[in-house]
Amino acid sequence: MLPVFAIQPAGEGADQRCPALLLHPRPTRVTRLRLRSRDGRRLLPLHFQPEGDAIRAELPATALLDDRPLRWDVQIELDGSGVFEPLIGTTAGTGHRHFFQQTVDGHGISAYLSDSVSSLVLFTAPLQQHAQTVDVENTRAAFPMLLEQLPLQDDLVVFESFLGKAYAGNPRYIYEALRRMRPDLRCVWAYNGEAPIPGDPPRVKRGSTAYYRLLAQARYRVNNILFAAHGRKAETRYLQTWHGTPLKRLGYDIEVSGPEVDARENLYRESRAWTHLLSENGYSSTILARAFRHGGEVLEVGYPLADPLAGEAADRRDILCRLGLPGDHRFVLYAPTWRDDRQVGHWRFDFDLRLDIDRVAAALQPDQVLLIRAHHLVSRGLQDRPLPSNVRDMSHVDDATDLCVIADVLVTDYSSIFFDFATTGRPILFYCYDMERYAKEVRGFYLDMEQDLPGPIARSNEELIELLSDLPTVQAAHAERYAAFRKRFCALNDGRAAERVVAAFFGPFPPSNRFTDERMSSGSDGTEAMLLARSCEDAQP
């Protein structure tokens, strides 16, 4: 059991270049303290000494400074074990997330506790940028007050997908159906990217001050992971869509240590605000509710992200044109998941590519192209690697559904993408070079990998190349199992899931009234353009 310290700023000394924090009570087991940068590239020892009933930890201010923002995790070693763990703490409750701030050489240094495990983190940045970030994060800490003080906007919907990094997944297809079915509702996307969004709705940067104000006021929320602040008004309806039918264990079902275990308490606090949880099938309904300890309503209606995969995809040609891919080729999509044990930074993971790209590329037919898409949590993909002419790095594509629409065969490992791809009926191959280790040491599985999957498992590049060379035989050999798999997991993916979600969660279009009449006659642009300004005005004291 890790010790928990009460943390407070040390009294200001004469030398402001040597800020310090006091840890109470004075520990006897701590043998070393250190700082680890979130990008995993730097380690700094943290000197400490007794001071009354506490210890004084001196912050190496000058060594922390950089031209870019940096976050540093404070870690402890107990009993000379050689193992460093997060330093867990509490504060006096100043009302601000950043309970300690200092200025050194034109830079700001501050300290706060992480959301996941309440571990001590330092944040450093050039002074102006530091001040802006601290203001935003302190606003986030004041989110409960915003929930109480700001008025509900009954027609406001806030969408977010993959932590604001993508216009993708279930939220994307729910939004597109909502535009058709409920044009009376005003939609905002929390999206930090640049991809075009149909209807050109207002966008807000995830984690900005405006973001928290809109989140506090929205009548409806839709997300596939979690928002940056917990809690909601009693009247707010929150749809958690999640982002895949699970093969690998989730949340409180995980039995081995790792980043998902460290973060699950934070997700649990978020899940207390879910009013509805979306499910693709009966299997998911049971697992997701249990793993996330969700006691509210489950919408078991299929996945909207699979709607484009049901039947013939009319927009295949448009997707190929948009992605710059040839229209007369067949595509092999390789979409592996991330590895919990390959962490290189805060929720950033190494791309553990065990695929011999050159050999696989050489074995493809002349009209085949290999598309590689790294998971969004992978820190670096194939940017610096020269690729054969028949291989494309598609890691920049926000929405994996677009790639599934055009793929003729999917190669994956433990990613949930294969459940959705099975909607197409096209062949699926599994490249699982580390299956036993992943099962026992990394995450674990819900299904029997040898008996339940809708396609064969390759353990090596050689086996994968052999499977790719004769896909008709592979399909014939696994046809019965594939059909049973689709019946169990894809029966609700009929191309109408998004419409069912909108009907169940948002309800029918309201009867004609003055507001909707004026809005429909004048068009939505003016109303949408005023949305952010209106919300900010509402937020003024």
Side-chain angles (χ1 to χ4, degrees):
M1 187 74 178
L2 292 175
V4 178
F5 301 101
I7 307 169
Q8 67 183 65
E12 293 187 1
D15 187 358
Q16 296 298 302
R17 296 172 60 84
C18 297
L21 297 172
L22 294 180
L23 311 181
H24 300 264
R26 179 175 169 181
T28 57
R29 298 176 56 203
V30 177
T31 47
R32 282 189 292 175
L33 294 175
R34 77 178 187 185
L35 299 173
R36 181 180 187 271
S37 62
R38 283 278 174 90
D39 60 11
R41 297 176 181 177
R42 297 174 64 183
L43 295 173
L44 294 174
L46 198 58
H47 300 292
F48 61 96
Q49 60 186 9
E51 186 170 298
D53 62 349
I55 62 171
R56 179 187 181 94
E58 297 181 354
L59 309 181
T62 302
L64 295 174
L65 306 185
D66 201 291
D67 291 335
R68 59 195 173 101
L70 288 175
R71 296 185 190 261
W72 304 79
D73 290 303
V74 182
Q75 300 178 323
I76 61 174
E77 177 197 57
L78 300 176
D79 304 319
S81 65
V83 177
F84 283 88
E85 303 280 0
L87 189 148
I88 310 299
T90 62
T91 66
T94 64
H96 295 301
R97 175 174 173 78
H98 291 255
F99 63 89
F100 161 82
Q101 293 188 57
Q102 187 86 38
T103 300
V104 177
D105 291 344
H107 289 70
I109 300 176
S110 57
Y112 65 92
L113 300 180
S114 72
D115 291 321
S116 55
V117 292
S118 294
S119 58
L120 182 59
V121 184
L122 302 183
F123 172 59
T124 63
L127 194 57
Q128 182 177 1
Q129 189 169 8
H130 182 269
Q132 292 172 345
T133 300
V134 167
D135 178 63
V136 166
E137 295 186 2
N138 285 340
T139 300
R140 175 191 174 198
F143 188 68
M145 180 184 69
L146 297 180
L147 287 172
E148 292 182 4
Q149 295 182 353
L150 300 184
L152 180 75
Q153 295 194 24
D154 200 55
D155 60 340
L156 175 59
V157 189
V158 174
F159 285 91
E160 182 177 301
S161 183
F162 295 113
L163 308 176
K165 294 187 287 187
Y167 173 64
N170 286 314
R172 168 186 170 177
Y173 297 98
I174 294 171
Y175 163 75
E176 292 177 3
L178 186 67
R179 290 186 65 227
R180 300 190 304 270
M181 299 170 67
R182 290 291 307 270
D184 58 305
L185 296 178
R186 299 176 298 138
C187 299
V188 173
W189 268 88
Y191 177 48
N192 298 349
E194 299 179 356
I197 298 178
D200 194 23
R203 305 184 190 195
V204 63
K205 185 176 181 181
R206 186 181 197 269
S208 66
T209 299
Y211 169 89
Y212 294 115
R213 291 171 175 165
L214 288 165
L215 194 61
Q217 298 176 88
R219 176 71 167 85
Y220 303 97
R221 301 180 189 173
V222 180
N223 205 330
N224 69 354
I225 300 183
L226 79 170
F227 289 104
H230 304 312
R232 62 173 173 85
K233 292 180 182 292
E235 305 92 338
T236 296
R237 292 164 66 86
Y238 180 169
L239 174 60
Q240 171 55 243
T241 75
W242 204 238
H243 45 272
T245 289
L247 168 65
K248 53 193 179 185
R249 290 184 176 271
L250 295 172
Y252 290 93
D253 286 347
I254 300 175
E255 299 174 345
V256 296
S257 61
E260 287 281 3
V261 171
D262 294 340
R264 68 187 176 192
E265 287 299 322
N266 186 44
L267 185 58
Y268 175 73
R269 291 194 292 271
E270 172 80 352
S271 71
R272 299 311 84 202
W274 301 351
T275 58
H276 298 73
L277 174 62
L278 184 63
S279 167
E280 191 171 18
N281 43 57
Y283 160 89
S284 294
S285 297
T286 300
I287 289 178
L288 296 178
R290 182 186 66 233
F292 296 136
R293 297 182 177 175
H294 172 70
E297 186 172 350
V298 176
L299 296 182
E300 187 180 308
V301 295
Y303 262 2
L305 65 82
D307 283 354
L309 304 179
E312 293 297 324
D315 57 352
R316 174 184 167 90
R317 185 179 300 276
D318 292 338
I319 293 174
L320 291 173
C321 182
R322 175 158 41 88
L323 298 181
L325 296 172
D328 55 349
H329 281 61
R330 294 178 295 157
F331 298 98
V332 178
L333 173 60
Y334 179 49
T337 192
W338 56 287
R339 296 298 191 271
D340 306 51
D341 59 339
R342 302 281 295 187
Q343 193 164 12
V344 295
H346 182 66
W347 282 103
R348 303 302 291 167
F349 299 85
D350 184 30
F351 191 16
D352 189 24
L353 184 67
R354 303 287 186 91
L355 193 71
D356 189 328
I357 296 176
D358 293 325
R359 289 182 60 193
V360 173
L364 295 179
Q365 296 298 313
D367 68 336
Q368 287 183 310
V369 175
L370 175 64
L371 308 178
I372 301 178
R373 186 180 189 270
H375 192 276
H376 76 97
L377 291 178
V378 168
S379 60
R380 292 186 62 81
L382 303 170
Q383 299 94 325
D384 301 327
R385 176 170 181 168
L387 299 175
S389 60
N390 60 347
V391 178
R392 302 284 184 90
D393 180 8
M394 307 304 292
S395 302
H396 62 282
V397 176
D398 268 2
D399 196 350
T401 296
D402 284 343
L403 298 177
C404 289
V405 167
I406 64 173
D408 297 281
V409 56
L410 171 69
V411 180
T412 187
D413 44 16
Y414 322 118
S415 170
S416 62
I417 193 173
F418 75 89
F419 287 94
D420 309 313
F421 189 82
T423 302
T424 69
R426 301 172 205 147
I428 303 172
L429 309 179
F430 295 86
Y431 178 42
C432 303
Y433 54 84
D434 59 349
M435 189 167 74
E436 286 77 14
R437 183 172 186 277
Y438 196 96
K440 296 177 181 178
E441 302 177 29
V442 178
R443 183 75 78 87
F445 304 118
Y446 289 114
L447 297 180
D448 185 322
M449 296 288 287
E450 299 288 356
Q451 300 297 321
D452 296 332
L453 299 187
I457 298 173
R459 301 299 190 90
S460 65
N461 282 273
E462 292 79 5
E463 292 178 4
L464 178 60
I465 290 171
E466 183 177 352
L467 292 172
L468 284 170
S469 69
D470 193 1
L471 289 175
T473 299
V474 169
Q475 282 187 284
H478 292 81
E480 185 175 343
R481 185 190 295 182
Y482 200 131
F485 183 91
R486 293 183 71 195
K487 183 177 180 180
R488 181 182 181 187
F489 297 106
C490 305
L492 293 172
N493 292 342
D494 58 0
R496 306 293 296 274
E499 294 178 3
R500 291 192 290 270
V501 172
V502 171
F505 183 69
F506 296 96
F509 189 84
S512 178
N513 58 53
R514 178 181 175 185
F515 172 77
T516 55
D517 287 348
E518 290 178 353
R519 183 151 189 244
M520 295 303 291
S521 63
S522 63
S524 63
D525 291 348
T527 304
E528 300 286 7
M530 292 187 295
L531 176 59
L532 294 179
R534 171 183 163 187
S535 300
C536 292
E537 288 173 3
D538 289 340
Q540 297 305 312

